Amino acid sequence: MIIFYIPFAAFILFYINQMTFRLCEQKEIPDDRQPKVYRTINILITILLISSYVEVLFT
């Protein structure tokens, strides 16, 4: 199960970061605030991926 989930999670994080980059460009977020935006989104997506893995694992 974990063999399939890790590449899936990496793909999701990569794609979310691409969308975050587009969001920062579109909304013209200043360069000094962009790392905070990336960090927040990555932490929330990582929590979501871990919780979904745990749910699938114990279901």
Side-chain angles (χ1 to χ4, degrees):
M1 176 70 181
I2 198 165
I3 294 170
F4 298 110
Y5 198 78
I6 289 177
F8 173 72
F11 173 75
I12 294 296
L13 281 171
F14 177 74
Y15 195 71
I16 293 293
N17 279 330
Q18 283 185 337
M19 291 192 304
T20 304
F21 176 74
R22 291 186 196 129
L23 173 75
C24 288
E25 282 186 337
Q26 184 180 21
K27 297 296 181 183
E28 299 176 357
I29 297 174
D31 289 341
D32 57 332
R33 293 198 61 210
Q34 286 183 12
K36 194 173 187 179
V37 172
Y38 276 97
R39 189 177 318 116
T40 302
I41 291 175
N42 283 334
I43 288 171
L44 293 174
I45 294 299
T46 303
I47 291 169
L48 179 67
L49 288 168
I50 290 171
S51 65
S52 67
Y53 177 73
V54 169
E55 182 178 346
V56 168
L57 188 65
F58 292 115
T59 302

